[in-house]
Amino acid sequence: MLRCLFTLCLLTVTLMRPVMASEHTADATQHFRAGIAAFQANQPEKAVTLLEAAAAKGMTSRALTYNLGVAYYQTGAYRNAERMFRQLLDTRQRVLAQYNLGLVALAQNETGQAANWFREVTQSNGDDKLLRLARARLRELSPDDARKYWQALVSLSAGHEENIGLFPDGAASTLDGGFLESANALTGYPYQHGQGALKVSARLYARHYLSEEAFDSEIVQLDSAWVHKNPPYRISAGLGGDQYWQGGKTREHRGRLFAEVTSRTCAIAGEQARCTLAARAEQVEASRRYQAYNGQHYQLDAGYRTAMGRWRGHVHYRVDYDDRENLNTGDEYFSVSPLGQTLGVRGDYRITETWSLGVAVRYRYNFYRTAHQLRVPEGTLIIRREDQRLTLSVHGDYRINNTFSLLATWRHAGNDSNLPRYRYDRQTVTLGVSAHL
């Protein structure tokens, strides 16, 4: 393990040397070079002393940061090594840093975290040598199945919401109140064959209001898919189902087929990027009270994720097509089968290693293909409903450690409709904690 790390270190010193700032003092540069010589002489403790001295004299470079990380690793100062390598996650040496963070986690018997770092490397478009090394590490961690692993997310939040019932802007009053919210997910690869693997996932979401139980909701989702990796592409297809409760009673359940293609070759200007194209078809079976929602739902989704320095970005575009039974009361007719288009943009900035702040904007346009027929004082109004919904959110994340994070979100949603009864505004504030296991 040390030999692989040392080989990578020497390679990186050669590659990084040009980035050292010209204003470094000759003394700092001398200490830096002496530290590299100590590596070559297999004297890691001396290398630490010399490299720390170079840093104390004002030298700042990726080469120094990386080699300090290696020196700390070789002397068993794993927390210091992790701190150094994490500083390189926002640079072009990100993949190299991820691999070494995997080695640091492995040295501390944190095998799950190590596998996560090595897996990040295998899913990147990094150097072939690093990819081979990361795959080898994964095989060592699980000889029978390099991707046979499980990951879990558990979160619990408390919040307050204005206009729980989505009453129109002109309503005399609204329902406001606090709630408890939990979002949980479990994902794993129980079987692998060649370049393919079976992926299974389960998600559970629940929101319970403190005083408005009729709006309580719970959702359970189960999915299974066959995933095939053919670098630089990742292709998956599978089936799944949902069960949705509202107010303690069954509202609907769904069955679906879905497929997805992901590629990491869509970078525009050298940034790390990932593009996704996904499609799904769902059959919806609603309870008697909501039987107007019986029918089919189709969705096409395209996304682009990017990372550049301390910034993370995500842009997605979605088209939804519904073919439902709709609601006919005899006197009135309501369509619940819109053709929807959604455009969303999200940006996150990591202020420090533990703090991050982000903003997200989402715009959705719904066009109801079948006209509404509504009773009005003048008679019957026949109109095609059109909605435009704009959602703005600000979110913060404080990472306590590799497992726990504190989360805070403020969200405002406003729906503008050509039918006044569907115009509304809603604000939500949440504060919670999450655990990645």
Side-chain angles (χ1 to χ4, degrees), residues 11-12 15-16 18-19 61-63 65-66 84-100 121 124-128 130 267-273 307-312 350:
L11 174 63
T12 304
L15 295 176
M16 289 185 178
V19 305
S61 72
R62 295 195 296 273
T65 300
Y66 180 83
M84 292 294 107
F85 292 135
R86 282 188 177 276
Q87 293 179 29
L88 299 173
L89 290 176
D90 294 332
T91 71
R92 292 183 179 180
Q93 283 71 42
R94 175 181 176 83
V95 179
L96 180 61
Q98 289 173 330
Y99 177 78
N100 288 313
V121 176
S124 71
N125 53 0
D127 180 77
D128 289 341
L130 279 176
I268 300 174
E271 78 281 8
Q272 292 192 8
M308 182 176 294
R310 292 181 176 269
W311 289 95
R312 300 291 181 271
R350 195 169 71 223

Side-chain angles (χ1 to χ4, degrees), residues 158-162 179 409-411 427-431:
H160 184 272
E161 187 168 69
E162 297 180 358
F179 61 84
T409 303
W410 170 85
R411 179 179 293 107
Q427 291 195 70
T428 309
V429 178
T430 60
L431 180 64

Side-chain angles (χ1 to χ4, degrees), residues 160-163 166 169 360-363 389-395 409-416 424-430:
H160 184 272
E161 187 168 69
E162 297 180 358
N163 197 8
L166 300 181
D169 294 338
V361 179
R362 185 172 61 180
Y363 170 78
R389 184 164 69 243
L390 182 64
T391 304
L392 173 65
S393 63
V394 179
H395 47 271
T409 303
W410 170 85
R411 179 179 293 107
H412 177 270
N415 191 69
D416 186 21
Y424 65 83
D425 287 281
R426 168 188 274 179
Q427 291 195 70
T428 309
V429 178
T430 60

Side-chain angles (χ1 to χ4, degrees), residues 316-336:
H316 75 273
Y317 173 72
R318 174 180 297 170
V319 177
D320 293 274
Y321 177 86
D322 285 275
D323 186 11
R324 310 298 185 95
E325 288 188 6
N326 300 319
L327 177 61
N328 190 345
T329 65
D331 293 332
E332 295 184 305
Y333 183 90
F334 300 85
S335 172
V336 294

Side-chain angles (χ1 to χ4, degrees), residues 99 121-122 127-139:
Y99 177 78
V121 176
T122 63
D127 180 77
D128 289 341
K129 183 176 181 179
L130 279 176
L131 294 177
R132 290 194 299 270
L133 288 171
R135 293 189 186 104
R137 294 296 176 187
L138 284 174
R139 286 193 294 270

